[in-house]
Every structure is written in structure tokens, then in C-alpha cells.
Amino acid sequence: MNTKKVLISGIVGGIVYFLLGWLVYGILLMDFMSKNSSVGIMKTEDEFVWWALVASNLIYGILIAYVLNAVGNITSVGNGASTAAVTGFLVAAGFDLGLYATSNVSTLNALLVDIVAITVMSAVVGAAVVTVSKKIT
């Protein structure tokens, strides 16, 4: 496994996740998620713990880079996107369904939308990770 590729492409993937999260959750789905989440559950932007948010996105980016590197032979953007989409779907569905089963954080609709959003975001990150990985020797 090429650790340099995983780290560099994973950091790029984390940046892409962060920007997509801002677009998808901060703009496109903000009202929907607010209406489908428990009252008081969402922090305002002033209350965000930014280091944790950045770390979370970097960890997801590195996870996708690790999976794509570990699977091996993923050199096309399409294969990277599809493999990352499956990975994102499995992570999001596993986490969200467990949270839905044990808490009152969100509605079933919000859970399903979140799984779709993470799946799509993961596909874009996978494409970015493969693109960057191909440039690293």
C-alpha cells in the first residue's frame, strides 16, 4: 500500500467532503434537515466545533483513499466513484440506521435523504481521490 498516496489523496478527499458538506447540508438541505430533526439538535454555525468538523471530513477522505488503495487496481474515475459510493452508502446506512433505532434525532425521511446525500458525496470524493492518486508516484 502506498501510504503517501493514501494520505495526500485522502486529504484532498477530506477537503472535497468538507466543501460538499457545506453545499449539501449547509445550503441545499439545511431547511429540510432542520424540519426533520429533533428541536435543538442542530448547532448554529457559531457553536460549531470546527476542529472536530475538519477532522471528521479528513477522516472520511482518508477512509475513501484507503479503501480505494486497498482494493487496488482502481485507476479510473468511474471505478473510484462507484467503489466510494458503495463505501459511503454502507457507512452512512450503518450509522444512520443505528442512530434512528436508538434515538429521536431525526425522522425516517431525513435518514433516507442523509444516506443518499452521503452516497453521492462519497462518489464525488472517490472520483477526486482517484484523480489525485494517479498523479502521485
Side-chain angles (χ1 to χ4, degrees):
M1 178 165 308
N2 187 330
T3 304
K4 180 180 173 184
K5 277 188 179 189
V6 170
L7 289 177
I8 293 172
S9 64
I11 289 169
V12 170
I15 293 167
V16 173
Y17 258 127
F18 183 86
L19 294 172
L20 286 172
W22 166 74
L23 174 66
V24 172
Y25 293 103
I27 296 174
L28 299 175
L29 295 177
M30 185 168 58
D31 290 339
F32 175 80
M33 289 303 204
S34 291
K35 290 175 185 167
N36 287 278
S37 298
S38 297
V39 175
I41 198 84
M42 300 299 293
K43 291 182 177 185
T44 65
E45 195 171 319
D46 294 346
E47 298 172 312
F48 282 6
V49 181
W50 286 100
W51 68 264
L53 184 59
V54 169
S56 171
N57 285 278
L58 289 173
I59 289 167
Y60 274 122
I62 292 169
L63 170 67
I64 295 298
Y66 176 80
V67 167
L68 294 179
N69 197 286
V71 168
N73 222 11
I74 295 183
T75 56
S76 79
V77 172
N79 284 345
S82 62
T83 302
V86 170
T87 303
F89 171 81
L90 293 172
V91 169
F95 180 81
D96 284 356
L97 287 168
L99 193 61
Y100 182 73
T102 61
S103 73
N104 293 312
V105 171
S106 68
T107 65
L108 183 58
N109 284 340
L111 170 137
L112 296 173
V113 168
D114 186 57
I115 292 170
V116 170
I118 292 292
T119 300
V120 171
M121 289 169 55
S122 296
V124 174
V125 169
V129 164
V130 168
T131 300
V132 171
S133 288
K134 288 168 49 172
K135 297 178 183 198
I136 301 169
T137 56

